[in-house]
Amino acid sequence: MTSSLLEAVDIKAPVSVSWALWQDVERWPSFLSHVRHVKRIDGTTFAWQVSLPGADKEFVAELAEVIPEERIAWRTTEGVHHAGVVTFHRLNDNESRVTLQVEYDPKGFIEHLGALTNLDSVLANYDLGEFQAMAEREALRT
C-alpha cells in the first residue's frame, strides 16, 4: 500500500530565499525534524538517516529533477520506497508558496498507523512551519 501526502505553506520571503534554503539537501535536517543526517555521495545522490516514531531508517536517494527556483524532485534508489517533490511558487515579490508532495511505502504497524491517522501530514505541516520560520528569518537578513 503506497501512501502520499500533499502539504503547502505560504512564506513571507521571495522564492529566491525559499529556494536557496531548500536546494542544499545537506541542510534539510535543520528544518525537517525526522531527518537526522544527509550525506552527499556524488552530485545527485545522498545517503539519508531518518528517525520516525518507532522506525529509524537509512536509504539512498537521488535527485531526479532540479529546476532552480521551481522544483526539486527525488526518489530512493536503495532502502525504503520514497519519492517526493518540492515546488516553489511566486506569490509576489516578497512572498512565496512551497508545496511538498511525498509518496512512500509504509512498513510496519507504526508507519501504517501514521498513514491512516494522517500523522504523516501533521509531521509534514510541522516541518513546513519550521522551514517557513527559517526562510522568513533569512528574508529579514537580506
Side-chain angles (χ1 to χ4, degrees):
M1 170 183 129
T2 300
S3 291
S4 62
L5 62 90
L6 176 63
E7 303 296 337
V9 64
D10 290 350
I11 300 171
K12 292 179 179 147
V15 165
S16 60
V17 171
S18 296
W19 169 260
L21 291 173
W22 205 291
Q23 62 89 28
D24 182 0
V25 174
E26 291 172 302
R27 195 168 181 185
W28 290 9
S30 65
F31 56 84
L32 297 177
S33 61
H34 61 288
V35 178
R36 295 292 167 241
H37 184 73
V38 179
K39 181 180 177 186
R40 180 180 299 273
I41 296 172
D42 61 34
T44 60
T45 310
F46 299 84
W48 293 63
Q49 293 176 341
V50 297
S51 181
L52 298 166
D56 291 338
K57 305 277 184 181
E58 293 186 12
F59 57 88
V60 175
E62 69 179 355
L63 295 177
E65 182 179 29
V66 177
I67 301 173
E69 297 191 9
E70 288 185 28
R71 66 189 287 124
I72 298 173
W74 66 93
R75 65 177 168 259
T76 55
T77 58
E78 295 176 27
V80 300
H81 168 72
H82 176 94
V85 62
V86 178
T87 55
F88 303 84
H89 310 272
R90 180 186 181 278
L91 299 178
N92 60 48
D93 288 344
N94 299 309
E95 295 180 295
S96 55
R97 176 171 295 141
V98 173
T99 302
L100 170 67
Q101 184 174 356
V102 176
E103 180 180 291
Y104 66 100
D105 187 11
K107 300 288 185 197
F109 177 75
I110 297 293
E111 290 182 39
H112 282 285
L113 184 63
L116 290 172
T117 62
N118 291 325
L119 182 59
D120 53 0
S121 291
V122 170
L123 179 61
N125 275 309
Y126 173 83
D127 288 346
L128 286 175
E130 291 296 303
F131 178 78
Q132 175 187 24
M134 181 182 287
E136 289 177 355
R137 283 192 305 272
E138 187 68 23
L140 290 175
R141 289 187 200 127
T142 58

